[in-house]
Amino acid sequence: MSILANKDTRVVIQGGAAGVNAARRMAEFCYLIKRPLTVEAFVYPPDAGKTNEVPYGSGLIAIPIYKTIADATKNHPAINTSLVYIGADRAMKGGMEALDDPNIKVVSMITEGVPEKDAKLLGAHARKLGKVFNGPSSIGIISAGACRLGVIGGAFDNLVLSKLYREGSFGVITKSGGLSNEIIWICSQFADGITTAIGIGGDAYPGTDYVSYLEMFENDPQTKAVVIVGEMGGDLEERAAEWYGAKKRRVKLIGVVSGFCQESLPKGMKFGHAGAKEGMKGEGSARSKSDALKKAGAVVPPTFGALGPVIKETYQELLKSGQVKEPVEPAVLPKLPKSVEEAMKADEVMVAPLIRTTISDDRGDEPCYDGYPASELINKGYEIPHVIGLLWDKRLISKQEAEIIKRIMMLSADHGPCVSGAYATILAACAGIGLSQAVAAGLIMIGPRFGGAVTDAGRWFKYAVDNKMNVDEFLAYMKKNVGPVPGIGHRVKSLRNPDKRVKELVGYVKSLHIKTPCLDFALAVEQVTAVKKDNLILNVDGTMAAVLVDLGFPVDSLNGFFILSRTIGLIGHWVDQKRQDSRLIRLFDYLVNYAAPKRREVPPLK
Amino acid sequence: MAKVLEGPGMGLMKKWGIHVPNYVVVTSVDELTKLGQANDWMKTSKLVAKAHEALGSRFKLGLVKVGLDLNSAIAATREMLGRQVGSITVSQVIVSEMVPHKEEYYCAVKSTREGSEILVANCGGIEVESNWDRVKRLCLEVGQAPSAGQLEKLSKEAGFTGPLAKKMADFSGKMFTCFDTEDAQYLEVNPVVTRESDGELVALDAVTLLDGDAKFRHPDWNFQFAAEFGRSYSKDEVEVMAVDSKIKGSVKFIEIPGGDTAMLPAGGGASVYYSDAVVARGGKLANYAEYSGDPPDWAVEVLTEKVCSLPGIKNIIVGGAIANFTDVKKTFGGIINGFRKAKGDGKLKGVKIWVRRGGPREKEGLDAMRALKDEGFDINVFDRNTPLTDIVDKALQK
């Protein structure tokens, strides 16, 4: 047997994330004692109609979320208990809603910082209806082997260590959440464990006090003794003492009270719990509570540390008198399935990875590029081109190489609004499209006719150099197998009107006196083609391609240099349009050659 | 529980129709001089000037001056402003009109488990404290307001007669309305006096304690709450409070000057048992502290730094029960960072650290603490098998 929470308890949880977390903890307990999940519904209006997923063993249970308590109990008539995980400003309304539902008999509130008046109103309303309102600030209620309400009992390992999978003989009532676990643990080590443990919350006026629960424990034949953990402030412990002393009680009472230190501390000092405060006239001190309990016949150890031996002594007496028998522990207990991470850490499973990476890793406190921490690269003077080198070619390039890449990027960052990429981005920006999509619209234009010839140009120049072709052999090969030479030719530039960007780049690279076989070959090709036709010059794509191949970049990465550089321009165009608040644009009719058939009659549909 | 100074306290009473004397709260002599020109009552009435700070026994300290005219009120204010009492600097002075009266009475409303209690006595001032049996009470259930009949009966029981009985009933009714609507936990007016000019009951002094948790529904609470123990908060205390107000869970820190045992325990409940254990062992607490509700590691780190900065400490008690959901590894991570910082700043010399804890990821957390030994910390680590407060016994063993 147990009180408040038992095998018939079915729960609705009011609230969001904290409530879901509690449901997970509750599911772990249900799994440990091999019973179905006690949580049947959530009430959380913002997510009404959806479900929360709660792990149970190695599976997941979907629990429906409702808008109101009435909806939840209508769909789940077995629900008789509500746990309130709602913020302090709305907690009273939620608690009242639960209390007013005819199916719900117990409401336990975890919310901290609930105004005193609200807590009193909730408590009074529950008493009027003959229901239980537990809390606020309650860690929860747990009945060993039967039911867990809230996170009380802690992690799964602790549930097992504290033998919460089977019933003992001790009831526990505490104000403090952390100490409830401590007492449960002590009862399991120095005696046979608990029946039910209740956190009543550390507020000044909890909805239900020790006396109501002592009365319930008195009527629960399985509970042989009750441990209460009190605090200075208020008069709950005095009332418990009064109840215990009023007549002969079946249960033994063990009590301990904190706050003796207050005698030697500055007056008015505030402790962790709202209820832990001195009375106006010194009433409610730890000493007066402790004395009241002793006087009523309760066992009161001098310190918290002495609780264990006292509980042990009580248990030994119960054993001797035959009131309790030594518990039989189950041979096997379910183990909580490990998550994949945990199992891997323990070397228990091997997982075939889904993807493989050879360039970067951000599992530490900062990203590492090809093994080098980003901050160290920054602090040692490396720049963006070096990061490109690491991520695109897995090597730390030289200062000189970085300078070339920087110049390539600066030369290709933008080419005005009229080219396909910029125009597409501007068009999208004017249509109110967001940055990433508008820039993507511009990037989509990069292909065989616009900006996308770098890779191909690099590929064929490299092919020629690798195969030691001369220009004529190369041009013949291209004519036969490929078509026009990528990287050669320009729409508007020509020998007489050269592309300044090409001149700049070639001039710089040449001034470095480094080996540039590809660039040399490309320039040789231009010598031949430009003679054939004035605009068949080495264009900027071809120049970049030849230089980058000479630097050793893989052919497949070459278009990346244009994409990356031009993205700078595309972002600029989008921001520029946005800043001007540009309007939607469309083509003027006079810019279209309407070559479609003239207007004509539609024939009848056959 | 949040204490409110006299000025805002009287403001709340005035809001609910309780007569209070005219008053102003000033922060400079200039302000008072200007107010004196603007308000007739300051020129015509006798005045009282009081330091407007959370200080006990202001009379003895010379921080209350009565029977003043405007010029002497200005002089008194000049004298009080900037005076240093312990850690408090007087930064505000409340100047109110003296209300000529003969009789003094008492009225209070206090919170009880069932609801509230209205207290009335037909004596006031210090007289009521020595005649506590003359205070009559009316107990009310939460949600219940007193009827006019009940209030009149209470006032008659307390010895009020004739028209005064009705007036006192009205006064206490307004006190209750103020208490109930303003989420007060304690309201006390001592003395209540009959104003000679018009025969109305006036509240001459107000003690106001409000429920800080109800602040969310009182947008007009534009005042600061005062420290409740006769001194202002220290810089470190204020910093921890600022962290506390920002995070999920809580961190608390109060300094106790002169102590040598520093506290860094987890849990609102356990922290007090640890403090008890120190006192029981004859130790001297250097502070009260507590973290709970799975606070973020950085918040615990801030708290740790403050604890390590306490002067003259010999032991630090990093105690805690078996946590329900506070992640031991994470919160200990914050403590460890705090310890390292403190050590780096040259603190913690000769300080012994004592750890006891259980809860989620306890093994990892405790192992990380143990590893601090290798970094030269004097640290002793115990797990759940060592009873809660035994580390205090070990630490304070002579």
Side-chain angles (χ1 to χ4, degrees), chain B residues 213-269:
Chain B
D213 286 333
K215 193 170 192 312
F216 66 84
R217 58 185 172 215
H218 297 282
D220 62 336
W221 286 5
N222 54 359
F223 38 78
Q224 294 270 312
F225 295 134
E228 280 163 49
F229 43 93
R231 67 164 171 88
S232 59
Y233 293 115
S234 73
K235 186 172 148 284
D236 281 359
E237 287 168 350
V238 170
E239 278 176 36
V240 174
M241 273 184 244
V243 170
D244 186 47
S245 67
K246 267 188 280 201
I247 56 165
K248 172 184 85 76
S250 85
V251 289
K252 300 261 159 33
F253 180 69
I254 297 291
E255 295 168 12
I256 307 170
D260 57 10
T261 305
M263 307 303 286
L264 186 49

Side-chain angles (χ1 to χ4, degrees), chain B residues 325-358:
Chain B
F325 62 99
T326 296
D327 185 325
V328 175
K329 187 187 175 202
K330 181 186 76 177
T331 44
F332 272 16
I335 293 179
I336 289 169
N337 285 344
F339 280 160
R340 285 188 181 138
K341 251 187 212 167
K343 191 157 178 275
D345 294 346
K347 291 168 193 159
L348 294 182
K349 280 200 187 106
V351 175
K352 286 184 177 359
I353 300 167
W354 303 85
V355 181
R356 188 272 184 188
R357 186 68 163 142

Side-chain angles (χ1 to χ4, degrees), chain B residues 182-338:
Chain B
E182 294 294 338
D183 276 296
Q185 289 169 327
Y186 188 68
L187 281 188
E188 186 188 72
V189 176
N190 187 24
V192 184
V193 302
T194 308
R195 185 156 59 196
E196 283 178 345
S197 57
D198 59 0
E200 292 295 339
L201 291 179
V202 178
L204 274 204
D205 196 8
V207 176
T208 310
L209 298 180
L210 301 178
D211 182 353
D213 286 333
K215 193 170 192 312
F216 66 84
R217 58 185 172 215
H218 297 282
D220 62 336
W221 286 5
N222 54 359
F223 38 78
Q224 294 270 312
F225 295 134
E228 280 163 49
F229 43 93
R231 67 164 171 88
S232 59
Y233 293 115
S234 73
K235 186 172 148 284
D236 281 359
E237 287 168 350
V238 170
E239 278 176 36
V240 174
M241 273 184 244
V243 170
D244 186 47
S245 67
K246 267 188 280 201
I247 56 165
K248 172 184 85 76
S250 85
V251 289
K252 300 261 159 33
F253 180 69
I254 297 291
E255 295 168 12
I256 307 170
D260 57 10
T261 305
M263 307 303 286
L264 186 49
S271 57
V272 185
Y273 280 101
Y274 275 105
S275 303
D276 281 0
V278 171
V279 172
R281 269 265 166 193
K284 283 190 115 181
L285 293 165
N287 69 307
Y288 170 77
E290 179 264 337
Y291 65 92
S292 57
D294 201 25
D297 51 357
W298 63 265
V300 186
E301 185 179 329
V302 172
L303 178 65
T304 305
E305 282 177 61
K306 304 302 177 201
V307 169
C308 293
S309 304
L310 291 163
I313 53 172
K314 293 183 183 140
N315 291 290
I316 300 180
I317 307 294
V318 187
I322 299 165
N324 288 286
F325 62 99
T326 296
D327 185 325
V328 175
K329 187 187 175 202
K330 181 186 76 177
T331 44
F332 272 16
I335 293 179
I336 289 169
N337 285 344

Side-chain angles (χ1 to χ4, degrees), chain A residues 563-600:
Chain A
I563 294 170
L564 178 63
S565 317
R566 188 49 57 89
T567 300
I568 298 170
L570 297 179
I571 292 172
H573 284 295
W574 184 88
V575 174
D576 183 41
Q577 298 303 320
K578 183 87 183 162
R579 199 167 34 215
Q580 302 175 49
D581 200 12
S582 296
R583 297 167 57 188
L584 182 67
I585 52 171
R586 52 170 291 158
L587 286 183
F588 297 104
D589 285 341
Y590 57 75
L591 289 176
V592 179
N593 172 5
Y594 289 101
K598 288 246 155 29
R599 184 185 172 121
R600 50 186 166 162

Side-chain angles (χ1 to χ4, degrees), chain A residues 16 23 85 103 135 390 414 566 585:
Chain A
Y85 282 80
N103 288 17
L390 287 170
D414 195 50
R566 188 49 57 89
I585 52 171

Side-chain angles (χ1 to χ4, degrees), chain A residues 81-314:
Chain A
T81 300
S82 174
L83 302 183
V84 184
Y85 282 80
I86 305 178
D89 54 340
R90 290 161 294 127
M92 179 164 86
K93 196 164 162 278
M96 286 291 182
E97 185 189 350
L99 284 171
D100 283 333
D101 190 280
N103 288 17
I104 290 177
K105 305 288 185 278
V106 175
V107 176
S108 186
M109 184 177 280
I110 186 87
T111 315
E112 294 190 352
V114 174
E116 262 182 38
K117 188 174 152 189
D118 297 5
K120 286 188 208 172
L121 286 167
L122 284 161
H125 195 58
R127 281 192 290 280
K128 196 180 84 194
L129 297 170
K131 298 184 177 185
V132 172
F133 175 75
N134 186 60
S137 310
S138 163
I139 190 71
I141 301 167
I142 190 165
S143 292
C147 179
R148 175 189 203 178
L149 299 175
V151 300
I152 185 170
F156 188 84
D157 294 346
N158 191 59
L159 300 176
V160 176
L161 286 172
S162 300
K163 298 171 187 162
L164 285 164
Y165 45 81
R166 57 121 185 98
E167 215 172 26
S169 311
F170 286 71
V172 173
I173 316 172
T174 73
K175 286 180 176 172
S176 154
L179 290 176
S180 67
N181 249 4
E182 190 72 26
I183 302 291
I184 293 169
W185 158 253
I186 291 173
C187 287
S188 73
Q189 301 305 301
F190 290 89
D192 62 350
I194 65 149
T195 51
T196 300
I198 305 152
I200 64 171
D203 288 9
Y205 301 108
T208 309
D209 61 5
Y210 294 124
V211 172
S212 316
Y213 293 133
L214 283 168
E215 198 74 56
M216 290 183 205
F217 276 128
E218 177 77 2
N219 293 320
D220 171 40
Q222 177 68 32
T223 304
K224 305 294 194 285
V226 179
V227 185
I228 64 174
V229 181
E231 285 176 353
M232 83 222 109
D235 62 355
L236 299 189
E237 291 79 4
E238 285 86 341
R239 289 186 194 216
E242 200 181 304
W243 174 88
Y244 194 64
K247 64 176 192 188
K248 175 96 187 87
R249 301 294 178 180
R250 186 187 57 80
V251 290
K252 289 186 188 308
L253 184 64
I254 300 167
V256 61
V257 183
S258 71
F260 285 93
C261 60
Q262 205 173 36
E263 292 168 0
S264 50
L265 288 182
K267 267 205 182 315
M269 233 187 80
K270 216 166 181 168
F271 287 94
H273 291 155
K277 63 193 177 194
E278 201 179 21
M280 292 293 164
K281 297 263 174 284
E283 74 266 22
S285 71
R287 195 164 300 279
S288 79
K289 285 169 187 296
S290 195
D291 289 348
L293 284 167
K294 264 186 225 164
K295 219 171 128 197
V299 183
V300 184
T303 63
F304 193 91
L307 256 181
V310 164
I311 287 170
K312 186 171 184 178
E313 207 173 298
T314 307

